[in-house]
Amino acid sequence: MYEDKTLVCKECGNEFTFTAGEQQFYAEKGFQNEPQRCKACRDAKKNAGKGPRELHEGICEKCGGVAKVPFVPTEGKPVYCSECYAEMKK
């Protein structure tokens, strides 16, 4: 039904493959246009407005170790280090 297509990125001019699976996904979602940019240029455009992520330190509620989190810890609300957080999600 679908076959891989080679497209040219409008940003960098490099060729990229629009796979049969991607075409099927686009059709299922009702997208009418083919992608205009390669994956690298799409990712760069998506992240262009974002600055580096700032991490804040707190004390892990579970193990007492250092917890680095992307928000300012608030007193009375627990924070967890990545290991303890991952363990809780299991």
Side-chain angles (χ1 to χ4, degrees):
M1 181 179 221
Y2 296 103
E3 291 184 21
D4 290 357
K5 288 184 183 179
T6 300
L7 303 176
V8 177
C9 177
K10 78 174 193 178
E11 200 75 31
C12 68
N14 291 332
E15 291 184 346
F16 66 97
T17 303
F18 185 34
T19 67
E22 291 170 328
Q23 292 174 51
Q24 183 176 355
F25 173 80
Y26 271 51
E28 288 170 359
K29 294 292 182 184
F31 300 150
Q32 307 240 336
N33 300 320
E34 294 179 340
Q36 301 279 315
R37 294 177 178 85
C38 65
K39 173 100 171 95
C41 289
R42 281 195 314 262
D43 289 345
K45 183 176 170 139
K46 189 186 316 180
N47 294 322
K50 298 178 182 176
R53 187 177 220 185
E54 184 178 345
L55 296 176
H56 305 275
E57 289 188 357
I59 304 298
C60 177
E61 182 79 14
K62 189 171 181 182
C63 72
V66 175
K68 293 187 178 185
V69 293
F71 54 87
V72 177
T74 305
E75 192 173 324
K77 293 189 177 185
V79 293
Y80 301 96
C81 66
S82 55
E83 291 83 17
C84 291
Y85 185 75
E87 186 67 31
M88 290 171 37
K89 288 185 76 172
K90 288 183 181 179

Coordinates of all heavy atoms in Angstrom, one line a residue:
M1 N 0.8 -1.2 0.0 CA 0.0 0.0 0.0 C 0.9 1.3 0.0 O 0.8 2.0 -0.9 CB -0.9 0.0 1.2 CG -1.9 1.1 1.3 SD -2.9 0.9 2.7 CE -4.4 1.5 2.1
Y2 N 1.7 1.5 1.1 CA 2.6 2.6 1.1 C 4.0 2.1 0.8 O 4.4 1.0 1.1 CB 2.6 3.2 2.5 CG 1.2 3.8 2.9 CD1 0.4 3.2 3.8 CD2 0.8 5.1 2.4 CE1 -0.8 3.7 4.1 CE2 -0.4 5.6 2.7 CZ -1.2 5.0 3.6 OH -2.4 5.5 4.0
E3 N 4.8 3.0 0.2 CA 6.2 2.7 -0.1 C 7.0 3.9 0.4 O 6.6 5.0 0.4 CB 6.4 2.5 -1.6 CG 5.8 1.3 -2.2 CD 6.1 1.1 -3.6 OE1 7.1 1.7 -4.1 OE2 5.4 0.4 -4.3
D4 N 8.2 3.6 0.9 CA 9.1 4.6 1.4 C 9.3 5.7 0.3 O 9.4 5.3 -0.9 CB 10.5 4.1 1.7 CG 10.4 3.2 3.0 OD1 9.4 3.1 3.6 OD2 11.5 2.7 3.4
K5 N 9.3 6.9 0.7 CA 9.6 8.1 -0.3 C 10.8 8.8 0.2 O 11.0 9.0 1.4 CB 8.4 9.0 -0.3 CG 7.1 8.6 -0.9 CD 6.1 9.7 -0.9 CE 4.8 9.3 -1.4 NZ 3.8 10.4 -1.4
T6 N 11.6 9.3 -0.7 CA 12.7 10.2 -0.4 C 12.2 11.6 -0.6 O 11.7 12.0 -1.7 CB 13.9 9.9 -1.3 OG1 14.3 8.6 -1.1 CG2 15.0 10.8 -1.0
L7 N 12.3 12.4 0.5 CA 11.9 13.8 0.4 C 13.1 14.7 0.7 O 14.1 14.2 1.2 CB 10.8 14.1 1.5 CG 9.6 13.3 1.4 CD1 8.6 13.6 2.6 CD2 8.8 13.5 0.1
V8 N 13.0 16.0 0.4 CA 14.1 16.9 0.6 C 13.7 17.9 1.7 O 12.6 18.5 1.6 CB 14.5 17.7 -0.7 CG1 15.6 18.7 -0.4 CG2 15.0 16.7 -1.8
C9 N 14.5 18.1 2.7 CA 14.2 19.0 3.8 C 14.3 20.4 3.3 O 15.3 20.8 2.7 CB 15.3 18.7 4.9 SG 15.1 19.8 6.3
K10 N 13.3 21.2 3.6 CA 13.2 22.6 3.2 C 14.2 23.4 4.1 O 14.5 24.6 3.7 CB 11.8 23.1 3.2 CG 11.3 23.5 4.6 CD 9.9 24.2 4.5 CE 9.5 24.8 5.7 NZ 8.2 25.5 5.6
E11 N 14.6 22.9 5.2 CA 15.5 23.7 6.1 C 17.0 23.5 5.7 O 17.7 24.5 5.5 CB 15.3 23.2 7.5 CG 15.7 24.2 8.6 CD 14.8 25.4 8.8 OE1 13.6 25.2 8.5 OE2 15.4 26.4 9.1
C12 N 17.4 22.3 5.6 CA 18.9 22.0 5.4 C 19.2 21.5 4.0 O 20.3 21.5 3.6 CB 19.4 21.0 6.4 SG 18.7 19.3 6.2
G13 N 18.1 21.1 3.2 CA 18.3 20.6 1.9 C 18.8 19.2 1.8 O 18.9 18.7 0.6
N14 N 18.9 18.5 2.9 CA 19.3 17.1 2.8 C 18.1 16.2 2.5 O 16.9 16.5 2.9 CB 19.9 16.6 4.2 CG 21.2 17.2 4.4 OD1 22.0 17.6 3.5 ND2 21.6 17.4 5.7
E15 N 18.4 15.1 1.9 CA 17.3 14.1 1.7 C 17.0 13.3 2.9 O 17.9 13.0 3.7 CB 17.7 13.1 0.5 CG 17.8 13.8 -0.8 CD 18.1 12.8 -1.9 OE1 18.5 11.7 -1.6 OE2 17.9 13.2 -3.1
F16 N 15.7 12.9 3.1 CA 15.3 12.0 4.2 C 14.2 11.1 3.7 O 13.6 11.4 2.7 CB 14.9 12.8 5.4 CG 13.7 13.7 5.3 CD1 12.4 13.2 5.7 CD2 13.7 14.9 4.7 CE1 11.3 13.9 5.6 CE2 12.6 15.7 4.6 CZ 11.4 15.2 5.0
T17 N 14.1 10.0 4.4 CA 13.1 9.0 4.0 C 11.8 9.2 4.8 O 11.8 9.3 6.0 CB 13.6 7.6 4.2 OG1 14.9 7.5 3.5 CG2 12.7 6.5 3.8
F18 N 10.7 9.3 4.1 CA 9.4 9.3 4.6 C 8.9 7.9 4.5 O 8.5 7.4 3.4 CB 8.5 10.3 3.9 CG 7.1 10.5 4.4 CD1 6.8 10.5 5.8 CD2 6.0 10.7 3.5 CE1 5.5 10.7 6.3 CE2 4.8 11.0 4.0 CZ 4.5 10.9 5.4
T19 N 9.0 7.1 5.6 CA 8.8 5.6 5.5 C 7.3 5.3 5.3 O 6.4 6.1 5.6 CB 9.3 5.0 6.8 OG1 8.5 5.4 7.9 CG2 10.7 5.3 7.1
A20 N 7.1 4.1 4.9 CA 5.7 3.6 4.7 C 5.0 3.6 6.0 O 3.8 4.0 6.1 CB 5.8 2.2 4.1
G21 N 5.6 3.3 7.1 CA 5.0 3.3 8.4 C 4.6 4.8 8.8 O 3.5 5.0 9.4
E22 N 5.5 5.7 8.5 CA 5.2 7.1 8.8 C 4.0 7.6 8.0 O 3.1 8.3 8.4 CB 6.4 8.0 8.6 CG 7.5 7.8 9.6 CD 8.8 8.5 9.2 OE1 9.1 8.6 8.0 OE2 9.5 8.9 10.1
Q23 N 4.0 7.2 6.7 CA 2.9 7.6 5.8 C 1.5 7.0 6.3 O 0.5 7.7 6.3 CB 3.1 7.0 4.4 CG 4.3 7.7 3.7 CD 4.6 7.1 2.4 OE1 3.7 6.9 1.6 NE2 5.9 6.8 2.2
Q24 N 1.6 5.8 6.8 CA 0.4 5.2 7.4 C -0.1 5.9 8.6 O -1.3 6.2 8.8 CB 0.6 3.7 7.7 CG -0.7 3.0 8.2 CD -0.4 1.5 8.4 OE1 0.7 1.0 8.1 NE2 -1.4 0.8 9.0
F25 N 0.9 6.3 9.5 CA 0.5 7.1 10.7 C -0.1 8.4 10.3 O -1.1 8.8 10.9 CB 1.8 7.3 11.5 CG 1.6 8.2 12.7 CD1 1.1 7.7 13.8 CD2 2.0 9.5 12.6 CE1 0.9 8.6 14.9 CE2 1.8 10.4 13.7 CZ 1.3 9.9 14.8
Y26 N 0.5 9.1 9.3 CA 0.0 10.4 8.9 C -1.5 10.2 8.4 O -2.3 11.0 8.6 CB 0.9 11.0 7.8 CG 2.0 11.8 8.2 CD1 2.9 11.4 9.2 CD2 2.2 13.1 7.7 CE1 3.9 12.2 9.7 CE2 3.2 13.9 8.2 CZ 4.1 13.5 9.1 OH 5.1 14.3 9.6
A27 N -1.7 9.1 7.6 CA -3.0 8.9 7.0 C -4.0 8.6 8.2 O -5.2 9.1 8.1 CB -3.0 7.7 6.0
E28 N -3.6 7.8 9.1 CA -4.5 7.5 10.3 C -4.9 8.7 11.1 O -6.0 8.8 11.6 CB -3.9 6.5 11.2 CG -3.8 5.1 10.6 CD -3.0 4.1 11.4 OE1 -2.4 4.5 12.4 OE2 -2.8 3.0 10.9
K29 N -4.0 9.7 11.2 CA -4.2 10.9 11.9 C -4.9 12.0 11.1 O -5.3 13.0 11.6 CB -2.9 11.5 12.5 CG -2.2 10.6 13.5 CD -3.0 10.6 14.8 CE -2.3 9.7 15.8 NZ -3.1 9.6 17.0
G30 N -5.1 11.7 9.8 CA -5.7 12.7 9.0 C -4.9 13.8 8.5 O -5.4 14.8 8.0
F31 N -3.5 13.6 8.6 CA -2.6 14.7 8.1 C -2.6 14.7 6.6 O -2.5 13.6 6.0 CB -1.2 14.5 8.6 CG -1.1 14.5 10.1 CD1 -0.1 13.7 10.8 CD2 -1.9 15.2 10.9 CE1 0.1 13.7 12.1 CE2 -1.8 15.3 12.3 CZ -0.8 14.5 12.9
Q32 N -2.8 15.8 6.0 CA -2.8 15.9 4.6 C -1.5 16.2 3.9 O -1.3 15.9 2.7 CB -3.8 17.0 4.2 CG -5.2 16.8 4.9 CD -6.3 16.7 3.9 OE1 -6.2 17.1 2.8 NE2 -7.4 16.0 4.3
N33 N -0.6 16.9 4.6 CA 0.7 17.3 4.0 C 1.8 16.3 4.5 O 1.8 15.8 5.6 CB 1.1 18.7 4.5 CG 0.0 19.7 4.0 OD1 -0.5 19.6 2.9 ND2 -0.3 20.6 4.9
E34 N 2.8 16.1 3.6 CA 4.0 15.3 3.9 C 4.9 16.2 4.8 O 4.8 17.4 4.8 CB 4.7 14.9 2.6 CG 3.9 14.0 1.8 CD 4.6 13.6 0.5 OE1 5.5 14.3 0.1 OE2 4.3 12.6 -0.1
P35 N 5.8 15.6 5.6 CA 6.7 16.4 6.4 C 7.6 17.2 5.5 O 8.0 16.8 4.4 CB 7.5 15.3 7.1 CG 7.3 14.1 6.4 CD 6.0 14.1 5.7
Q36 N 7.9 18.4 5.9 CA 8.7 19.4 5.2 C 10.2 19.3 5.6 O 11.1 19.8 4.9 CB 8.2 20.8 5.4 CG 6.8 21.0 4.9 CD 6.7 21.2 3.4 OE1 7.4 22.0 2.9 NE2 5.8 20.5 2.8
R37 N 10.4 18.9 6.9 CA 11.8 18.9 7.5 C 12.2 17.5 7.9 O 11.4 16.7 8.3 CB 11.8 19.8 8.7 CG 11.6 21.3 8.4 CD 11.5 22.1 9.7 NE 11.3 23.5 9.4 CZ 10.2 24.1 9.2 NH1 9.0 23.4 9.2 NH2 10.1 25.3 8.9
C38 N 13.5 17.3 7.9 CA 14.1 16.0 8.3 C 13.9 16.0 9.9 O 13.6 17.0 10.5 CB 15.5 15.9 7.9 SG 16.6 17.1 8.6
K39 N 14.1 14.8 10.5 CA 14.0 14.6 11.9 C 14.9 15.6 12.7 O 14.5 16.2 13.6 CB 14.3 13.2 12.3 CG 14.4 12.9 13.8 CD 13.1 12.3 14.2 CE 13.2 11.8 15.7 NZ 12.7 12.7 16.7
A40 N 16.1 15.8 12.3 CA 17.1 16.7 13.0 C 16.6 18.1 12.9 O 16.6 18.8 13.9 CB 18.5 16.6 12.3
C41 N 16.1 18.6 11.8 CA 15.6 19.9 11.7 C 14.3 20.1 12.4 O 14.0 21.2 13.0 CB 15.5 20.4 10.2 SG 17.0 20.6 9.4
R42 N 13.4 19.1 12.4 CA 12.2 19.2 13.2 C 12.5 19.3 14.7 O 11.9 20.1 15.4 CB 11.3 17.9 13.0 CG 10.5 17.9 11.7 CD 9.4 16.9 11.7 NE 9.8 15.6 12.1 CZ 10.1 14.6 11.3 NH1 10.2 14.7 10.0 NH2 10.4 13.4 11.8
D43 N 13.4 18.5 15.2 CA 13.8 18.5 16.6 C 14.5 19.9 16.9 O 14.2 20.4 18.0 CB 14.8 17.4 16.9 CG 14.1 16.0 16.9 OD1 12.9 16.0 16.9 OD2 14.9 15.0 16.9
A44 N 15.3 20.4 16.1 CA 16.0 21.7 16.3 C 14.9 22.8 16.4 O 15.0 23.7 17.3 CB 17.0 22.0 15.2
K45 N 13.9 22.8 15.5 CA 12.9 23.8 15.5 C 12.0 23.7 16.8 O 11.7 24.7 17.4 CB 12.0 23.7 14.3 CG 11.0 24.7 14.2 CD 10.2 24.6 12.9 CE 9.0 25.6 13.0 NZ 8.6 26.3 12.0
K46 N 11.7 22.5 17.2 CA 10.9 22.2 18.4 C 11.6 22.8 19.6 O 11.0 23.3 20.5 CB 10.6 20.7 18.5 CG 9.6 20.4 19.6 CD 9.4 18.9 19.8 CE 9.3 18.1 18.6 NZ 9.2 16.7 18.8
N47 N 12.9 22.6 19.7 CA 13.7 23.0 20.9 C 14.3 24.3 20.8 O 15.0 24.8 21.8 CB 14.8 21.9 21.1 CG 14.2 20.6 21.5 OD1 13.2 20.5 22.2 ND2 14.8 19.5 21.0
A48 N 14.1 25.1 19.7 CA 14.7 26.4 19.5 C 14.4 27.4 20.6 O 15.2 28.1 21.1 CB 14.4 27.0 18.2
G49 N 13.2 27.4 21.1 CA 12.7 28.4 22.1 C 13.0 28.0 23.5 O 12.9 28.8 24.5
K50 N 13.5 26.8 23.7 CA 13.7 26.3 25.1 C 15.2 26.5 25.5 O 16.1 26.2 24.7 CB 13.5 24.8 25.1 CG 12.0 24.4 24.8 CD 11.8 22.9 24.9 CE 10.4 22.5 24.5 NZ 10.3 21.1 24.5
G51 N 15.4 27.0 26.7 CA 16.7 27.2 27.2 C 17.1 25.9 27.9 O 16.4 25.0 28.0
P52 N 18.3 25.9 28.5 CA 18.8 24.8 29.2 C 17.9 24.6 30.4 O 17.4 25.5 31.1 CB 20.2 25.1 29.6 CG 20.3 26.6 29.4 CD 19.3 27.0 28.4
R53 N 17.7 23.3 30.8 CA 16.9 23.0 31.9 C 17.6 23.3 33.2 O 18.8 22.8 33.4 CB 16.5 21.5 31.8 CG 15.6 21.0 32.9 CD 15.2 19.6 32.6 NE 13.8 19.4 32.9 CZ 13.2 18.2 32.8 NH1 13.9 17.1 32.6 NH2 12.0 18.1 33.1
E54 N 17.0 24.0 34.1 CA 17.6 24.3 35.4 C 17.1 23.3 36.4 O 15.9 23.1 36.6 CB 17.2 25.7 35.8 CG 17.8 26.2 37.1 CD 17.4 27.6 37.4 OE1 16.9 28.4 36.5 OE2 17.7 28.0 38.6
L55 N 18.1 22.7 37.1 CA 17.7 21.8 38.2 C 18.0 22.4 39.6 O 18.9 23.1 39.8 CB 18.5 20.5 38.0 CG 18.3 19.7 36.7 CD1 19.2 18.5 36.7 CD2 16.8 19.2 36.7
H56 N 17.1 22.0 40.5 CA 17.2 22.5 41.9 C 17.5 21.3 42.8 O 17.0 20.2 42.5 CB 16.0 23.2 42.3 CG 15.6 24.3 41.4 ND1 16.1 25.6 41.5 CD2 14.8 24.4 40.3 CE1 15.7 26.4 40.5 NE2 14.9 25.7 39.8
E57 N 18.2 21.5 43.9 CA 18.5 20.4 44.8 C 17.5 20.4 46.0 O 17.1 21.5 46.5 CB 19.9 20.5 45.3 CG 20.9 20.1 44.2 CD 22.3 20.0 44.8 OE1 22.6 20.3 46.0 OE2 23.2 19.7 43.9
G58 N 17.2 19.3 46.4 CA 16.4 19.1 47.6 C 16.8 17.8 48.3 O 17.7 17.1 47.8
I59 N 16.2 17.4 49.4 CA 16.5 16.2 50.1 C 15.4 15.2 49.8 O 14.2 15.4 50.0 CB 16.5 16.5 51.6 CG1 17.5 17.6 51.9 CG2 16.9 15.2 52.4 CD1 19.0 17.3 51.5
C60 N 15.8 14.0 49.3 CA 14.9 12.9 49.0 C 14.1 12.5 50.3 O 14.7 12.2 51.3 CB 15.6 11.8 48.4 SG 14.6 10.3 48.0
E61 N 12.8 12.5 50.1 CA 11.9 12.1 51.2 C 12.2 10.6 51.7 O 12.0 10.3 52.8 CB 10.5 12.3 50.8 CG 9.5 12.0 51.8 CD 9.3 13.2 52.8 OE1 9.8 14.3 52.6 OE2 8.7 12.9 53.9
K62 N 12.5 9.8 50.7 CA 12.6 8.4 51.0 C 14.0 7.9 51.5 O 14.1 7.3 52.6 CB 12.3 7.6 49.7 CG 12.1 6.1 50.0 CD 11.6 5.4 48.7 CE 11.4 3.9 49.0 NZ 10.9 3.2 47.8
C63 N 15.1 8.4 50.8 CA 16.4 7.9 51.2 C 17.3 8.9 51.9 O 18.3 8.6 52.4 CB 17.1 7.3 50.0 SG 17.7 8.6 48.8
G64 N 16.8 10.2 51.8 CA 17.6 11.3 52.5 C 18.8 11.8 51.6 O 19.5 12.7 52.1
G65 N 18.9 11.3 50.4 CA 20.0 11.7 49.5 C 19.6 13.0 48.8 O 18.5 13.6 49.0
V66 N 20.5 13.4 48.0 CA 20.3 14.7 47.2 C 19.4 14.3 46.0 O 19.6 13.4 45.3 CB 21.6 15.2 46.7 CG1 21.4 16.4 45.8 CG2 22.5 15.6 47.8
A67 N 18.3 15.1 45.9 CA 17.4 15.0 44.8 C 17.5 16.2 43.9 O 17.3 17.3 44.4 CB 15.9 14.8 45.4
K68 N 17.8 16.0 42.6 CA 17.8 17.1 41.7 C 16.5 17.1 40.9 O 16.2 16.1 40.2 CB 19.0 17.0 40.8 CG 20.3 17.2 41.5 CD 21.5 17.2 40.6 CE 22.7 17.4 41.4 NZ 23.9 17.6 40.5
V69 N 15.7 18.2 41.0 CA 14.4 18.3 40.4 C 14.3 19.5 39.5 O 15.0 20.5 39.8 CB 13.3 18.2 41.5 CG1 13.3 16.9 42.2 CG2 13.5 19.3 42.5
P70 N 13.4 19.5 38.5 CA 13.3 20.7 37.6 C 12.4 21.8 38.1 O 11.9 22.6 37.4 CB 12.7 20.0 36.3 CG 11.9 18.9 36.8 CD 12.7 18.4 38.0
F71 N 12.1 21.8 39.4 CA 11.3 22.8 40.1 C 11.8 23.2 41.4 O 12.7 22.4 42.0 CB 9.8 22.3 40.2 CG 9.7 21.0 41.0 CD1 9.6 21.0 42.4 CD2 9.7 19.8 40.3 CE1 9.6 19.8 43.1 CE2 9.6 18.6 41.0 CZ 9.6 18.6 42.4
V72 N 11.5 24.3 41.9 CA 11.9 24.7 43.3 C 11.2 23.9 44.3 O 9.9 24.0 44.4 CB 11.7 26.2 43.5 CG1 12.2 26.6 44.9 CG2 12.5 27.0 42.4
P73 N 11.9 23.1 45.1 CA 11.2 22.3 46.1 C 10.4 23.3 47.1 O 11.0 24.3 47.5 CB 12.3 21.6 46.8 CG 13.4 21.5 45.9 CD 13.3 22.8 45.1
T74 N 9.2 22.9 47.5 CA 8.4 23.6 48.4 C 8.4 22.9 49.7 O 8.2 21.7 49.8 CB 7.0 23.8 47.9 OG1 7.0 24.3 46.5 CG2 6.1 24.7 48.7
E75 N 8.5 23.6 50.8 CA 8.5 23.0 52.1 C 7.1 22.3 52.4 O 6.1 22.9 52.0 CB 8.7 24.1 53.2 CG 9.0 23.4 54.6 CD 9.4 24.5 55.6 OE1 10.1 25.4 55.2 OE2 9.0 24.3 56.8
G76 N 7.1 21.1 52.9 CA 5.9 20.4 53.1 C 5.5 19.5 52.0 O 4.6 18.7 52.1
K77 N 6.1 19.6 50.8 CA 5.9 18.7 49.7 C 7.1 17.9 49.4 O 8.2 18.4 49.3 CB 5.5 19.6 48.4 CG 4.2 20.3 48.6 CD 3.8 20.9 47.3 CE 2.4 21.6 47.5 NZ 1.9 22.1 46.2
P78 N 6.9 16.6 49.4 CA 8.1 15.7 49.2 C 8.7 15.8 47.8 O 8.0 16.0 46.9 CB 7.5 14.3 49.5 CG 6.0 14.4 49.1 CD 5.7 15.8 49.5
V79 N 10.0 15.6 47.8 CA 10.7 15.4 46.6 C 11.5 14.1 46.7 O 11.8 13.6 47.8 CB 11.7 16.5 46.3 CG1 11.0 17.8 46.0 CG2 12.7 16.7 47.3
Y80 N 11.8 13.5 45.6 CA 12.5 12.2 45.5 C 13.6 12.2 44.5 O 13.5 12.8 43.5 CB 11.5 11.1 45.1 CG 10.3 11.0 46.1 CD1 9.1 11.6 45.8 CD2 10.4 10.2 47.3 CE1 8.0 11.5 46.7 CE2 9.4 10.2 48.2 CZ 8.2 10.8 47.9 OH 7.1 10.7 48.8
C81 N 14.7 11.5 44.9 CA 15.8 11.4 43.9 C 15.3 10.5 42.8 O 14.3 9.8 42.9 CB 17.0 10.8 44.6 SG 16.8 9.1 45.2
S82 N 16.0 10.5 41.7 CA 15.6 9.7 40.5 C 15.5 8.2 40.8 O 14.5 7.6 40.3 CB 16.5 10.0 39.3 OG 17.8 9.7 39.7
E83 N 16.3 7.7 41.6 CA 16.3 6.2 41.9 C 15.0 5.9 42.7 O 14.3 5.0 42.4 CB 17.5 5.8 42.7 CG 18.8 5.8 41.9 CD 19.5 7.2 41.8 OE1 19.1 8.1 42.7 OE2 20.3 7.4 41.0
C84 N 14.7 6.7 43.8 CA 13.5 6.4 44.6 C 12.3 6.7 43.8 O 11.3 5.9 43.9 CB 13.6 7.3 45.9 SG 14.9 6.8 47.0
Y85 N 12.3 7.7 43.0 CA 11.1 8.0 42.1 C 10.8 6.9 41.2 O 9.7 6.4 41.0 CB 11.3 9.3 41.4 CG 10.1 9.7 40.6 CD1 9.0 10.3 41.3 CD2 10.0 9.6 39.2 CE1 7.9 10.7 40.6 CE2 8.9 10.0 38.5 CZ 7.8 10.5 39.2 OH 6.7 10.9 38.5
A86 N 11.9 6.3 40.6 CA 11.7 5.2 39.6 C 11.2 4.0 40.4 O 10.3 3.3 39.8 CB 13.0 4.9 38.9
E87 N 11.7 3.8 41.6 CA 11.2 2.6 42.4 C 9.7 2.7 42.7 O 9.0 1.8 42.7 CB 12.1 2.5 43.6 CG 11.8 1.3 44.5 CD 12.2 0.0 43.8 OE1 13.2 0.0 43.0 OE2 11.5 -1.0 44.0
M88 N 9.3 4.0 43.0 CA 7.9 4.2 43.4 C 6.9 4.0 42.2 O 5.8 3.6 42.3 CB 7.7 5.6 43.9 CG 8.3 5.8 45.2 SD 8.3 7.5 45.8 CE 6.8 8.2 45.2
K89 N 7.4 4.2 41.0 CA 6.6 4.1 39.8 C 6.4 2.6 39.3 O 5.5 2.3 38.5 CB 7.2 4.9 38.6 CG 7.1 6.4 38.8 CD 7.6 7.1 37.6 CE 6.5 7.0 36.5 NZ 6.8 7.8 35.4
K90 N 7.2 1.7 39.9 CA 7.0 0.3 39.5 C 5.8 -0.3 40.0 O 5.2 0.0 40.9 CB 8.2 -0.5 40.0 CG 9.5 -0.2 39.3 CD 10.6 -1.1 39.8 CE 11.9 -0.8 39.1 NZ 13.0 -1.6 39.6

